[in-house]
Amino acid sequence: MTTIASGTDTLTRDALTVLQPGFPGTTAPDWLLRRLGEGLASVGLFGRNIASPEQLASLTAQLRAERDDVLVAIDEEGGDVTRLEVRTGSSFPGNHALGAVDDVSLTLEVAAELGRRLAECGVNLNWAPSADVNSNPANPVIGVRSFGADPGLVARHTAAYVTGLQSAGVAACTKHFPGHGDTAVDSHHALPRIDADPAVLTERELTPFRAAIAAGTRAVMSAHILVPALDPARPATLSPHILTTLLREELGYDGLIVTDGMEMQAVAATYGIERGSVLAVAAGADAICVGGGLADDETVRRLRDALVTAVRTGELPEQRLADAAERVRALARWTAPRRTATAGADEGTARAARGAGRPDVGLIAARRALRLTGDEVFTPLTEPPYVAALTPVANIAVGDETPWGVAAELGRLLPGTDTGSFAGADAGHAALIAAGERRIVAVVRDEHRHPWMTAALDILLAARPDTVVVEMGVPQAPPRGALHIATHGAARVCGRAAAEVIAAGPPA
């Protein structure tokens, strides 16, 4: 049983309990351990906290030595958004690749294997899956993080993902409610707006969330988006109508509601994180996610004090805060028997207890997700090519520290493969000069969203029609090139699957 430090009153403890802060480094700082002793019940992990599975397991053990029921959360979607493999790229394709295959049993298996790996490292809450319907092709922040543009497809794969992840004892946090797919603005930078009428929202945005709730998702994450048809004044994270009336009462959801990162500009620039956190809890949120960019004791203290002050001044009902804290504790209770069932067992025994799984299921899924288009029978490359990566600015959710592309994997199959990164108006000419006489493999990411990328491909293909084109984003632009490979994501396994085709030809 966790022991709370003496002298910590119930109100202060509840205020700490609803926070999910991040922290720097690969070991827990002293201030974080102290806060766990005072009532903090959750922490959030990011790429900066992870060097290896062994180090992560040691870190989570350090946290649990201070508080045995701590919720350890992570933003591990697989695919483009990975924290567990932030320095190498993910062993699992993301949602868009799984949606392209459209085999719910495969999605469940991928999620279960990912969950097993998280559980073995001591993580018990995953801020995934994304249940957003990617109905706007210009969306700069969702894209391949979505299973697709069809609500029914997204719904069935969301449910399968939730089931698979939670079968491993890791709570799913389905996001971003009420749906972030029809936006053209990244909420990390500004407040997106969805101008759909209620009927469209019901049939499109809400369908996957209904499926997630039916599948038993233990948590739901709110979106920092303005949906005037639901609330013309406040973004979803701060809206009582969206979080309480719609999600709780109309959809019948009774699990944990987690906010998206409160330091994101969609909320922070208008309300500030303290005021925003108070409004979010008052609206119905139970856990305040903060720490993607703010990760220190001062932030935790400020948020704790803001919540306590709001209760004492009557702005935030004390019972609302108490209910939120109890939902956090309830989720911790749900995870406890699943975590301790294999505690102390060796790795093989622990894996057997959770189900054997297929460690290579991610690569299997990535291979199945490939879509190949060409005007003639493609002859595999036998000489090392030049890989021209036409590289857009990565969105913050993905980050720019995770490698992507096909060069590394192609270099293993065709030693001597060289690569360069190009962007902007002169990208095509620069890539031609760099390639010289070598065969070109042009790698793009969401060509349809970047006119400069289309112009660069025009130049490359006019000069070198035997160029192979690999699209590692959402394939919206017309396929072209001697061979066009759509991977439906930029995970490491997606790059490997594409490289196998380039070097060995399409599978039989």
Side-chain angles (χ1 to χ4, degrees):
M1 194 71 180
T2 299
T3 301
I4 301 299
S6 60
T8 304
D9 63 76
T10 299
L11 177 57
T12 301
R13 184 171 68 248
D14 286 350
L16 281 170
T17 297
V18 303
L19 302 180
Q20 287 189 353
F23 58 93
T26 54
T27 59
D30 290 343
W31 66 261
L32 183 68
L33 298 175
R34 185 181 72 255
R35 294 300 186 193
L36 288 172
E38 294 172 353
L40 186 70
S42 308
V43 298
L45 300 181
F46 297 85
R48 61 177 179 250
N49 303 120
I50 301 170
S52 69
E54 296 76 19
Q55 168 271 324
L56 178 55
S58 177
L59 170 59
T60 59
Q62 182 188 16
L63 296 170
R64 290 200 168 90
E66 188 63 42
R67 177 167 185 153
D68 57 4
D69 64 346
V70 64
L71 286 172
V72 181
I74 197 169
D75 195 6
E76 180 57 58
E77 300 177 14
D80 290 33
V81 180
T82 180
R83 312 305 180 211
L84 196 60
E85 299 179 275
V86 66
R87 291 169 181 81
T88 60
S90 182
S91 300
F92 302 92
N95 286 1
H96 205 60
L98 295 172
V101 178
D102 195 14
D103 178 345
V104 291
S105 64
L106 180 66
T107 295
L108 189 151
E109 189 178 1
V110 166
E113 178 61 28
L114 177 58
R116 276 190 288 270
R117 297 191 190 185
L118 291 174
E120 287 168 1
C121 294
V123 175
N124 55 6
L125 172 59
N126 190 9
W127 294 320
S130 168
D132 307 297
V133 179
N134 198 49
S135 55
N136 184 350
N139 196 312
V141 67
I142 301 301
V144 294
R145 300 168 67 196
S146 166
F147 289 110
D150 176 72
L153 179 145
V154 176
R156 60 181 174 266
H157 287 278
T158 296
Y161 198 105
V162 167
T163 300
L165 190 64
Q166 294 186 166
S167 73
V170 177
C173 183
T174 305
K175 61 189 183 186
H176 307 80
F177 188 82
H180 210 311
D182 190 18
T183 60
V185 172
D186 185 342
S187 51
H188 291 89
H189 303 299
L191 179 63
R193 176 185 175 115
I194 294 181
D195 286 309
D197 63 44
V200 171
L201 294 170
T202 297
E203 294 303 315
R204 187 178 65 187
E205 271 71 20
L206 297 184
T207 293
F209 289 97
R210 285 194 293 267
I213 293 168
T217 186
R218 307 304 301 190
V220 169
M221 178 176 281
S222 66
H224 301 333
I225 57 175
L226 188 67
V227 187
L230 301 177
D231 188 331
R234 289 185 177 177
T237 295
L238 312 183
S239 169
H241 179 77
I242 293 175
L243 296 190
T244 298
T245 304
L246 177 57
L247 181 54
R248 290 271 186 235
E249 298 172 5
E250 295 182 18
L251 298 186
Y253 175 67
D254 194 40
L256 189 76
I257 298 177
V258 184
T259 72
D260 208 343
M262 294 303 290
E263 70 274 16
M264 294 165 62
Q265 292 302 297
V267 169
T270 302
Y271 299 90
I273 62 167
E274 296 98 328
R275 174 74 175 153
S277 296
V278 169
L279 291 174
V281 175
D286 306 304
I288 301 297
C289 176
V290 64
L294 299 169
D296 54 31
D297 190 38
E298 175 62 17
T299 299
V300 172
R301 184 196 62 77
R302 284 163 50 201
L303 295 179
R304 177 204 65 188
D305 290 352
L307 291 166
V308 169
T309 299
V311 169
R312 289 176 174 165
T313 59
E315 182 180 10
L316 175 62
E318 185 170 4
Q319 188 59 51
R320 169 79 276 274
L321 181 61
D323 289 345
E326 176 51 31
R327 279 200 176 90
V328 175
R329 298 180 191 118
L331 183 56
R333 290 193 295 271
W334 179 86
T335 65
R338 291 155 179 82
R339 179 174 56 84
T340 57
T342 54
D346 61 43
E347 182 176 338
T349 302
R351 178 176 288 276
R354 284 189 286 264
R358 287 189 292 175
D360 62 346
V361 68
L363 180 58
I364 292 169
R367 288 168 174 159
R368 290 183 61 186
L370 295 182
R371 297 295 180 268
L372 312 179
T373 307
D375 294 331
E376 57 188 43
V377 176
F378 176 72
T379 302
L381 276 60
T382 57
E383 298 295 325
Y386 185 83
V387 178
L390 305 183
T391 308
V393 175
N395 73 60
I396 292 176
V398 173
D400 58 9
E401 70 269 44
T402 302
W404 71 284
V406 302
E409 298 295 335
L410 203 50
R412 294 186 180 94
L413 300 174
L414 296 171
T417 295
D418 198 5
T419 187
S421 179
F422 306 90
D426 196 43
H429 293 295
L432 279 175
I433 293 171
E437 297 303 313
R438 290 169 290 184
R439 184 79 175 267
I440 296 175
V441 176
V443 185
V444 297
R445 202 169 183 176
D446 289 343
E447 181 202 338
H448 67 284
R449 294 200 302 110
H450 304 285
W452 68 265
M453 205 177 284
T454 297
L457 279 184
D458 288 343
I459 291 168
L460 289 174
L461 290 168
R464 305 285 289 276
D466 63 349
T467 293
V468 175
V469 178
V470 182
E471 169 62 87
M472 304 196 80
V474 177
Q476 289 281 322
R480 51 190 176 146
L483 175 68
H484 185 279
I485 305 175
T487 63
H488 300 90
R492 176 173 53 84
V493 286
C494 297
R496 178 175 169 180
E500 290 172 347
V501 171
I502 294 169

Short mmCIF file of all heavy atoms in Angstrom, two decimals, residues 173-205:
data_model
loop_
_atom_site.label_atom_id
_atom_site.label_comp_id
_atom_site.label_asym_id
_atom_site.label_seq_id
_atom_site.Cartn_x
_atom_site.Cartn_y
_atom_site.Cartn_z
N CYS A 173 -5.49 4.79 -24.05
CA CYS A 173 -6.04 6.15 -23.92
C CYS A 173 -6.40 6.61 -25.32
O CYS A 173 -5.55 7.11 -26.07
CB CYS A 173 -5.03 7.09 -23.27
SG CYS A 173 -5.65 8.77 -23.01
N THR A 174 -7.65 6.42 -25.72
CA THR A 174 -8.11 6.72 -27.07
C THR A 174 -8.20 8.23 -27.27
O THR A 174 -8.75 8.94 -26.44
CB THR A 174 -9.48 6.06 -27.31
OG1 THR A 174 -9.37 4.66 -27.02
CG2 THR A 174 -9.93 6.24 -28.74
N LYS A 175 -7.67 8.72 -28.39
CA LYS A 175 -7.56 10.17 -28.60
C LYS A 175 -7.90 10.52 -30.05
O LYS A 175 -7.96 9.63 -30.90
CB LYS A 175 -6.15 10.64 -28.24
CG LYS A 175 -5.03 10.01 -29.08
CD LYS A 175 -3.66 10.36 -28.54
CE LYS A 175 -2.56 9.79 -29.42
NZ LYS A 175 -1.23 9.99 -28.86
N HIS A 176 -8.15 11.78 -30.38
CA HIS A 176 -8.22 12.99 -29.55
C HIS A 176 -9.68 13.45 -29.58
O HIS A 176 -10.12 13.98 -30.60
CB HIS A 176 -7.34 14.09 -30.11
CG HIS A 176 -5.91 13.69 -30.34
ND1 HIS A 176 -5.49 12.97 -31.46
CD2 HIS A 176 -4.79 13.91 -29.59
CE1 HIS A 176 -4.19 12.79 -31.39
NE2 HIS A 176 -3.73 13.34 -30.27
N PHE A 177 -10.42 13.21 -28.53
CA PHE A 177 -11.86 13.46 -28.47
C PHE A 177 -12.18 14.95 -28.55
O PHE A 177 -11.55 15.75 -27.89
CB PHE A 177 -12.43 12.89 -27.17
CG PHE A 177 -13.94 12.91 -27.11
CD1 PHE A 177 -14.68 11.93 -27.73
CD2 PHE A 177 -14.60 13.94 -26.47
CE1 PHE A 177 -16.07 11.95 -27.69
CE2 PHE A 177 -15.98 13.98 -26.43
CZ PHE A 177 -16.72 12.97 -27.04
N PRO A 178 -13.19 15.35 -29.38
CA PRO A 178 -14.14 14.52 -30.12
C PRO A 178 -13.71 14.19 -31.55
O PRO A 178 -14.54 13.77 -32.36
CB PRO A 178 -15.39 15.39 -30.13
CG PRO A 178 -14.85 16.78 -30.21
CD PRO A 178 -13.59 16.77 -29.36
N GLY A 179 -12.43 14.34 -31.89
CA GLY A 179 -11.93 13.99 -33.22
C GLY A 179 -11.13 15.12 -33.83
O GLY A 179 -11.63 16.22 -34.00
N HIS A 180 -9.87 14.83 -34.18
CA HIS A 180 -8.93 15.86 -34.66
C HIS A 180 -8.66 15.73 -36.15
O HIS A 180 -7.75 16.36 -36.69
CB HIS A 180 -7.60 15.69 -33.88
CG HIS A 180 -6.82 16.94 -33.67
ND1 HIS A 180 -6.53 17.83 -34.68
CD2 HIS A 180 -6.24 17.44 -32.55
CE1 HIS A 180 -5.79 18.83 -34.19
NE2 HIS A 180 -5.61 18.61 -32.90
N GLY A 181 -9.43 14.91 -36.85
CA GLY A 181 -9.09 14.59 -38.23
C GLY A 181 -9.42 15.64 -39.27
O GLY A 181 -8.78 15.70 -40.31
N ASP A 182 -10.42 16.49 -39.01
CA ASP A 182 -10.85 17.47 -40.00
C ASP A 182 -10.27 18.84 -39.67
O ASP A 182 -10.96 19.85 -39.69
CB ASP A 182 -12.37 17.54 -40.05
CG ASP A 182 -12.88 18.36 -41.23
OD1 ASP A 182 -12.11 18.57 -42.18
OD2 ASP A 182 -14.04 18.80 -41.19
N THR A 183 -8.98 18.89 -39.35
CA THR A 183 -8.34 20.16 -39.02
C THR A 183 -7.22 20.44 -40.00
O THR A 183 -6.63 19.53 -40.58
CB THR A 183 -7.77 20.14 -37.59
OG1 THR A 183 -6.80 19.08 -37.48
CG2 THR A 183 -8.85 19.92 -36.56
N ALA A 184 -6.91 21.72 -40.17
CA ALA A 184 -5.81 22.14 -41.03
C ALA A 184 -4.75 22.89 -40.24
O ALA A 184 -3.83 23.48 -40.82
CB ALA A 184 -6.34 23.01 -42.17
N VAL A 185 -4.88 22.87 -38.91
CA VAL A 185 -3.96 23.57 -38.02
C VAL A 185 -3.46 22.57 -36.99
O VAL A 185 -4.21 21.72 -36.51
CB VAL A 185 -4.66 24.75 -37.31
CG1 VAL A 185 -3.78 25.37 -36.24
CG2 VAL A 185 -5.07 25.81 -38.34
N ASP A 186 -2.19 22.67 -36.63
CA ASP A 186 -1.60 21.82 -35.60
C ASP A 186 -1.83 22.47 -34.24
O ASP A 186 -1.40 23.60 -34.01
CB ASP A 186 -0.10 21.67 -35.87
CG ASP A 186 0.59 20.70 -34.93
OD1 ASP A 186 0.04 20.41 -33.86
OD2 ASP A 186 1.72 20.26 -35.26
N SER A 187 -2.50 21.77 -33.33
CA SER A 187 -2.82 22.35 -32.02
C SER A 187 -1.60 22.57 -31.15
O SER A 187 -1.70 23.23 -30.11
CB SER A 187 -3.84 21.47 -31.28
OG SER A 187 -3.42 20.12 -31.25
N HIS A 188 -0.44 22.06 -31.56
CA HIS A 188 0.79 22.41 -30.85
C HIS A 188 1.11 23.90 -31.04
O HIS A 188 1.78 24.51 -30.20
CB HIS A 188 1.98 21.59 -31.36
CG HIS A 188 1.90 20.14 -30.99
ND1 HIS A 188 1.27 19.21 -31.78
CD2 HIS A 188 2.37 19.46 -29.91
CE1 HIS A 188 1.37 18.02 -31.21
NE2 HIS A 188 2.02 18.14 -30.09
N HIS A 189 0.64 24.47 -32.15
CA HIS A 189 0.99 25.84 -32.50
C HIS A 189 -0.16 26.84 -32.36
O HIS A 189 0.07 28.01 -32.06
CB HIS A 189 1.49 25.89 -33.95
CG HIS A 189 2.66 25.00 -34.22
ND1 HIS A 189 3.86 25.15 -33.58
CD2 HIS A 189 2.80 23.93 -35.05
CE1 HIS A 189 4.71 24.22 -34.01
NE2 HIS A 189 4.08 23.47 -34.90
N ALA A 190 -1.40 26.41 -32.59
CA ALA A 190 -2.55 27.31 -32.56
C ALA A 190 -3.81 26.48 -32.34
O ALA A 190 -3.74 25.25 -32.25
CB ALA A 190 -2.65 28.10 -33.87
N LEU A 191 -4.96 27.16 -32.23
CA LEU A 191 -6.21 26.48 -31.94
C LEU A 191 -6.91 26.07 -33.24
O LEU A 191 -7.39 26.92 -33.98
CB LEU A 191 -7.13 27.39 -31.12
CG LEU A 191 -8.51 26.81 -30.77
CD1 LEU A 191 -8.36 25.57 -29.89
CD2 LEU A 191 -9.36 27.87 -30.07
N PRO A 192 -7.00 24.77 -33.54
CA PRO A 192 -7.73 24.32 -34.74
C PRO A 192 -9.24 24.48 -34.53
O PRO A 192 -9.73 24.52 -33.41
CB PRO A 192 -7.35 22.85 -34.86
CG PRO A 192 -6.20 22.64 -33.93
CD PRO A 192 -6.36 23.65 -32.84
N ARG A 193 -9.95 24.51 -35.64
CA ARG A 193 -11.41 24.66 -35.62
C ARG A 193 -12.03 23.69 -36.60
O ARG A 193 -11.54 23.53 -37.73
CB ARG A 193 -11.75 26.11 -35.99
CG ARG A 193 -13.24 26.41 -36.10
CD ARG A 193 -13.43 27.85 -36.59
NE ARG A 193 -14.83 28.15 -36.82
CZ ARG A 193 -15.53 29.04 -36.13
NH1 ARG A 193 -14.95 29.72 -35.15
NH2 ARG A 193 -16.80 29.27 -36.41
N ILE A 194 -13.09 23.01 -36.18
CA ILE A 194 -13.83 22.11 -37.06
C ILE A 194 -15.23 22.65 -37.23
O ILE A 194 -16.00 22.73 -36.27
CB ILE A 194 -13.89 20.68 -36.48
CG1 ILE A 194 -12.49 20.07 -36.44
CG2 ILE A 194 -14.82 19.79 -37.29
CD1 ILE A 194 -12.45 18.66 -35.90
N ASP A 195 -15.57 23.03 -38.46
CA ASP A 195 -16.88 23.63 -38.74
C ASP A 195 -17.81 22.61 -39.39
O ASP A 195 -18.34 22.84 -40.47
CB ASP A 195 -16.72 24.86 -39.63
CG ASP A 195 -16.15 26.05 -38.86
OD1 ASP A 195 -16.69 26.38 -37.80
OD2 ASP A 195 -15.12 26.61 -39.32
N ALA A 196 -18.00 21.49 -38.73
CA ALA A 196 -18.93 20.47 -39.22
C ALA A 196 -20.22 20.57 -38.42
O ALA A 196 -20.22 20.97 -37.25
CB ALA A 196 -18.32 19.09 -39.07
N ASP A 197 -21.34 20.18 -39.05
CA ASP A 197 -22.60 20.25 -38.32
C ASP A 197 -22.76 19.02 -37.42
O ASP A 197 -22.03 18.04 -37.57
CB ASP A 197 -23.79 20.40 -39.28
CG ASP A 197 -23.95 19.21 -40.22
OD1 ASP A 197 -23.85 18.05 -39.75
OD2 ASP A 197 -24.20 19.43 -41.41
N PRO A 198 -23.67 19.05 -36.47
CA PRO A 198 -23.79 17.96 -35.50
C PRO A 198 -23.99 16.59 -36.14
O PRO A 198 -23.46 15.59 -35.64
CB PRO A 198 -24.99 18.37 -34.66
CG PRO A 198 -25.02 19.87 -34.74
CD PRO A 198 -24.56 20.18 -36.13
N ALA A 199 -24.76 16.52 -37.24
CA ALA A 199 -25.01 15.22 -37.86
C ALA A 199 -23.71 14.61 -38.40
O ALA A 199 -23.46 13.41 -38.27
CB ALA A 199 -26.03 15.36 -38.98
N VAL A 200 -22.88 15.45 -39.03
CA VAL A 200 -21.60 14.97 -39.55
C VAL A 200 -20.70 14.52 -38.41
O VAL A 200 -20.07 13.46 -38.47
CB VAL A 200 -20.91 16.06 -40.39
CG1 VAL A 200 -19.48 15.66 -40.75
CG2 VAL A 200 -21.71 16.34 -41.66
N LEU A 201 -20.64 15.31 -37.36
CA LEU A 201 -19.81 14.95 -36.21
C LEU A 201 -20.24 13.61 -35.63
O LEU A 201 -19.40 12.77 -35.27
CB LEU A 201 -19.90 16.04 -35.15
CG LEU A 201 -19.30 17.41 -35.52
CD1 LEU A 201 -19.68 18.45 -34.48
CD2 LEU A 201 -17.79 17.33 -35.65
N THR A 202 -21.54 13.41 -35.53
CA THR A 202 -22.06 12.17 -34.94
C THR A 202 -21.67 10.96 -35.78
O THR A 202 -21.24 9.92 -35.25
CB THR A 202 -23.58 12.24 -34.80
OG1 THR A 202 -23.91 13.29 -33.88
CG2 THR A 202 -24.16 10.94 -34.29
N GLU A 203 -21.82 11.07 -37.09
CA GLU A 203 -21.56 9.93 -37.97
C GLU A 203 -20.09 9.75 -38.31
O GLU A 203 -19.65 8.64 -38.59
CB GLU A 203 -22.37 10.09 -39.26
CG GLU A 203 -23.87 10.02 -39.05
CD GLU A 203 -24.29 8.73 -38.37
OE1 GLU A 203 -23.78 7.65 -38.78
OE2 GLU A 203 -25.09 8.78 -37.42
N ARG A 204 -19.33 10.82 -38.25
CA ARG A 204 -17.92 10.74 -38.65
C ARG A 204 -17.00 10.72 -37.42
O ARG A 204 -16.41 9.70 -37.08
CB ARG A 204 -17.56 11.91 -39.57
CG ARG A 204 -16.18 11.83 -40.20
CD ARG A 204 -15.93 13.01 -41.12
NE ARG A 204 -15.90 14.29 -40.39
CZ ARG A 204 -15.84 15.47 -40.98
NH1 ARG A 204 -15.85 15.55 -42.31
NH2 ARG A 204 -15.80 16.59 -40.26
N GLU A 205 -16.88 11.84 -36.73
CA GLU A 205 -15.92 11.94 -35.62
C GLU A 205 -16.22 11.01 -34.46
O GLU A 205 -15.31 10.40 -33.88
CB GLU A 205 -15.86 13.39 -35.11
CG GLU A 205 -14.85 14.27 -35.81
CD GLU A 205 -15.22 14.63 -37.23
OE1 GLU A 205 -16.42 14.53 -37.56
OE2 GLU A 205 -14.33 15.02 -38.01
#
